[in-house]
Amino acid sequence: MDIFIYILIAIIFIGFVYGVYIYGRLKKFKQYVDDSWESVLVSIDELKTDILENIDNYGENKKKVKVIIKKMVMDEGIQEFIAAYVNLDKLLGENALFEEASKSTKVAIRAYNDDVLKYNNEINMIFKMLVANVFGFKPRIYFRSKK
């Protein structure tokens, strides 16, 4: 009987240690996603500044560009922010000046989406899902272009 108690205690201890390990790993991936999102925001702020400095080069789209850029604030939420960026990309996507200015933004978005993929995959694995649900790790939204 004593051996079963020791085995049970060992199993509980191993489960606890594994749970702590999973929690730390999920926390790390979540931080990667948060850091990537900050890079996207910084890159888009630089893009907005660049566009506004060269607004006269966008011809008849000047007013539309200004309206879209005003919508690109995080106060409205991530979905609206992404939609505003996608609209800007659709409007100016063929413009050579915009293409050059948006290269770093596209790289930052790609890195963000890669980190979101890794994070979402982690929290959807069987045992990790249990820890993720207990500690409130939620799936993140991809930055998708609807071209």
Side-chain angles (χ1 to χ4, degrees):
M1 189 69 167
D2 285 338
I3 190 96
F4 293 115
I5 292 174
Y6 290 127
I7 291 173
L8 182 62
I9 290 172
I11 290 171
I12 291 171
F13 179 74
I14 291 169
F16 175 76
V17 169
Y18 187 64
V20 169
Y21 167 76
I22 289 173
Y23 176 79
R25 191 166 165 85
L26 292 176
K27 204 66 171 146
K28 177 179 76 170
F29 278 105
K30 185 174 185 259
Q31 187 62 48
Y32 288 161
V33 171
D34 291 342
D35 291 346
S36 293
W37 181 246
E38 285 301 316
S39 294
V40 168
L41 292 179
V42 167
S43 180
I44 286 180
D45 278 344
E46 291 171 0
L47 177 65
K48 290 187 323 188
T49 302
D50 191 44
I51 289 171
L52 290 174
E53 286 174 358
N54 298 299
I55 196 75
D56 293 330
N57 296 328
Y58 295 109
E60 74 241 10
N61 294 326
K62 203 164 33 173
K63 288 182 182 178
K64 291 178 185 176
V65 168
K66 284 182 179 179
V67 169
I68 291 172
I69 286 182
K70 285 180 183 176
K71 290 181 182 179
M72 291 177 71
V73 291
M74 278 304 295
D75 298 342
E76 301 297 321
I78 188 172
Q79 294 289 26
E80 289 77 11
F81 181 83
I82 292 172
Y85 176 80
V86 168
N87 288 337
L88 185 66
D89 195 31
K90 284 180 184 176
L91 185 64
L92 301 177
E94 302 298 318
N95 185 299
L97 186 64
F98 177 76
E99 278 297 316
E100 185 63 32
S102 67
K103 281 182 184 177
S104 66
T105 303
K106 290 179 181 178
V107 168
I109 290 169
R110 193 172 307 120
Y112 169 76
N113 283 339
D114 288 346
D115 287 339
V116 168
L117 175 67
K118 291 173 191 170
Y119 171 76
N120 286 347
N121 284 344
E122 282 289 314
I123 66 172
N124 286 321
M125 291 182 178
I126 296 289
F127 295 112
K128 294 177 183 179
M129 190 183 305
L130 297 172
V131 174
N133 286 335
V134 168
F135 291 103
F137 290 95
K138 303 285 183 215
R140 293 294 183 94
I141 300 170
Y142 290 97
F143 199 118
R144 290 206 170 113
S145 175
K146 296 175 184 170
K147 284 187 173 183

